[in-house]
Amino acid sequence: MRTRSSTALLAVALATLLITSGLAGPALAAGPAAGPPDATVQSTTAGSSLDSTTAVGSTATGTTASSPTSAAVQDARPDTPSTEDTVGYVEGYWYDDPLPVDNQSDAVVDEDDLDPVVYRAMARVERIRNLTFSEEVTVDVISRSEYRETNGDRFTNISSANRLEANVGYEALFMVDRETDAANATQTVYGGSVGGSYHPETDQIVIVSENPDTPELDEVTLGHELVHALQDQRYNLSRFHGTTQDEETAMSGLIEGDASRVEREYKATCGREWDCLVPRNDGSGQLPDINWGIYFSVYQPYSDGPDYVNYLRTQGNDWEAVNAAYDDPPRTTSAVIHPGSGREPANVSVPDRSSEDWRQLRTDGEVATDTIGEAGMVAMFAADAVESDRDAVIEAADLFESAENYNYNHSYTNGWAGDKLVAYTNDEADSASKPAAAAGHAGYVWRTQWESGTDTQQFVNGYLRLLENHGADAVDGRQDTYVIEDGGYSGAYYLNRTGETLTIVRAPAVDDLSNVEAGAAPEGEDTLEITDRSDTVSGFGPGAAVGAIATALLGTGYRAVADRHDQD
């Protein structure tokens, strides 16, 4: 059995939006924290931090980047600066040069003024990142409607088998129900929240503006995307391909963490040391109509990535340690959520034990299988935390630490060691006209492995709560077997725990479970239960969460930090 980075079970709906290094993720609050006045790092994610006295983006004389073509930021500017060798100087512009656009009341940039703005922004990114650009970068500013129009076809050329595997995968995480096409749900997430994109194949940046008549350039978003261009020039982003969804997202933790860390300081310096172009706030303060489960699953690199980068900087010579990490990027989202843990995924196998009427779903000649990972599991438990009439296992109070930092470190999932999800199909599923309906006839086996028996039980606690929240009832006389009678996740579920392994089998009906996985749903009494019901957390619920997030959106005009594409 071989996994495929281009059509991984959960990645398939995103396949046309995958950059070569991982998923692109929108930022809910649409912007980085401004940071304290001295631009020191304030870490809020458990497991990683920089000391509060450590300055971000040190620019002291003598600090050099690892690239031989980069030079130290100098207090005394050289008489003959060059784009390739002088940090903070690009094509005749220093990072702090004034420009005519600085006096505008909006962020509309005419074509004649765009190049100087871009060059100065490149110089500012160099100043923070202490690394020089080797080539120019093309930048275009378009409206959101134009972005939707030009990028909508990315979701049209997806095969029926790929659409089915996407629906099965997201349904397994209780994110996409029988009424929803997973590819369409993903398209909505990206079409409504991407604020900028970098295209490695053309070395082009696109900035998306909420103002349809006179598109405005958000300089902070531009700074983020310029970091991706800089990464591509120095490290070749096309090298970064994971074999699973979890590995793709993990690599993105380094790449997006690097860009987001620079973006946060960029924004903090705006108005304090630099004049910056800031779009007018046309946001309504209303939450976008998107699938929050999918959103949470792709946002993790933007939330935890900056702290992961901060951790790296404490382990070596500041940014040089981050540069070195591109030779050995993280391989699991657990490694990004828990910096320093060095977690490598366990080898989890799911042999085919289905009956003759069932078979493992194959797309492009390969078995449809994927690794969800710790971040994906957190997204599963938190999917109903916003705008849902259903309780969430991880409530909003435990998810949102700040406008841009979400908490992906939870007892239900932090003992993750590995997992594998395999989709199964039959004639009924194959003949269904729509992928959402086909998923109802399909099944899956999801095997998870944990670091200890206690960690296994914690996940059992969370998953049983998830089934409860979706109206599942225990099946009399069948061991650890549950049925959801109605709704978008109806079907039969069997849980089998063996030591530090928990296997979940899903099928349309109880009698189908043993056909998907031989021996599933045996006769007998239940062996699994929720062992701790005292850990439910009181706090602000979905309504308050909506208010808090809407406030953040009002303050930022709701944009995404990045989306980087590469068409294979």
Side-chain angles (χ1 to χ4, degrees), residues 1-4 6-7 162 165 360-369:
M1 189 182 302
R2 181 167 62 88
T3 56
R4 305 138 302 128
S6 62
T7 53
N162 285 340
E165 72 169 325
Q360 292 180 328
L361 176 64
R362 302 179 74 87
T363 59
D364 304 323
E366 300 292 339
V367 173
T369 178

Side-chain angles (χ1 to χ4, degrees), residues 467-528:
L467 290 177
E468 279 187 356
N469 292 346
H470 284 272
D473 295 315
V475 178
D476 291 338
R478 294 295 187 101
Q479 181 177 303
D480 301 316
T481 303
Y482 306 85
V483 168
I484 299 176
E485 294 287 354
D486 302 309
Y489 303 99
S490 61
Y493 300 78
Y494 168 65
L495 280 61
N496 177 32
R497 177 181 175 181
T498 304
E500 296 167 357
T501 299
L502 178 72
T503 301
I504 300 168
V505 184
R506 188 268 168 196
V510 172
D511 291 341
D512 292 319
L513 287 168
S514 60
N515 293 322
V516 173
E517 173 78 357
E523 295 183 356
E525 299 298 321
D526 290 342
T527 64
L528 302 177

Side-chain angles (χ1 to χ4, degrees), residues 446-467:
W446 185 17
R447 185 154 295 143
T448 68
Q449 187 166 325
W450 302 89
E451 293 189 326
S452 70
T454 299
D455 294 324
T456 311
Q457 182 59 49
Q458 286 288 340
F459 184 74
V460 168
N461 289 343
Y463 195 82
L464 289 178
R465 282 195 173 97
L466 184 66
L467 290 177

